[in-house]
Amino acid sequence: MLLFAFAACSAAVPTVSAQESGWWIGGRVGYWHDKVEGVTSSGFALAPEFGHDFNAKWSLGGVLGFDYRKTGNTSDEVFVIEPYARYKYFSRDRFTLFVDGGFGVAMGDGSGWKVGLTPGLAFRISDRFSLLTSFGFLGYKNDYYNGGGDGFGFDFRSSDLRFGFFYSF
């Protein structure tokens, strides 16, 4: 379904040349509400992102995020800092496949750190705007707020699917 939406957008938007270097801003926002066995849970996430494309293959970026979750009468607030290097290994027309390598530190009611790789896909809507999605994680987590525990491995669950947008200038 997502690829169909991307294909429809690419047919409707005229082709423009890719920007090979420059600054960009963007991020992700999310909200979730559910009820399991009579317990109500809700939360939201705000994750502004910024970075710089050095050339057609390499970028440096970072996320400064905030997550709030409330389950029953308990709430958690977590601040996240996640710098990364992005390698764009395949580009064709409007699509770019990339992998982000970096680390994350969580502070607040949940804490911990992680280091690893996250694959992703970017779709350029215009010369300035792009949609991005990333999925999964391969690396090491030490009591990271989102999953807890110490361990190494890969995790490709649908709950790890994230969408974002970027504006290049």
Side-chain angles (χ1 to χ4, degrees):
M1 183 66 160
L2 176 64
L3 289 177
F4 176 74
F6 281 161
C9 288
S10 67
V13 179
T15 302
V16 293
S17 62
Q19 183 174 339
E20 291 192 8
S21 65
W23 291 96
W24 43 266
I25 59 172
R28 301 181 305 265
V29 62
Y31 174 79
W32 190 258
H33 178 82
D34 65 8
K35 190 172 187 176
V36 177
E37 297 179 6
V39 178
T40 300
S41 176
S42 62
F44 71 90
L46 180 63
E49 199 161 336
F50 58 92
H52 181 71
D53 289 326
F54 291 99
N55 56 44
K57 293 286 185 186
W58 287 99
S59 303
L60 284 179
V63 175
L64 298 173
F66 175 76
D67 280 15
Y68 174 82
R69 296 180 188 167
K70 183 173 182 179
T71 303
N73 294 325
T74 305
S75 64
D76 293 317
E77 295 178 358
V78 179
F79 295 92
V80 178
I81 300 170
E82 296 180 343
Y84 61 85
R86 175 170 291 161
Y87 177 67
K88 297 164 264 185
Y89 58 91
F90 177 81
S91 290
R92 179 80 64 210
D93 297 323
R94 299 179 174 282
F95 292 94
T96 300
L97 297 175
F98 63 86
V99 64
D100 290 345
F103 66 93
V105 177
M107 302 163 283
D109 295 327
S111 62
W113 59 275
K114 68 178 182 175
V115 60
L117 303 172
T118 302
L121 167 73
F123 175 74
R124 190 172 27 83
I125 296 173
S126 72
D127 195 29
R128 300 275 183 210
F129 288 97
S130 296
L131 298 175
L132 279 81
T133 184
S134 59
F135 178 69
F137 177 78
L138 169 65
Y140 180 81
K141 292 181 180 181
N142 179 314
D143 196 29
Y144 201 63
Y145 83 101
N146 211 7
D150 273 337
F152 175 82
F154 64 92
D155 197 0
F156 295 103
R157 296 176 294 174
S158 60
S159 62
D160 288 332
L161 183 62
R162 293 174 299 277
F163 295 96
F165 69 92
F166 288 85
Y167 174 78
S168 300
F169 52 97

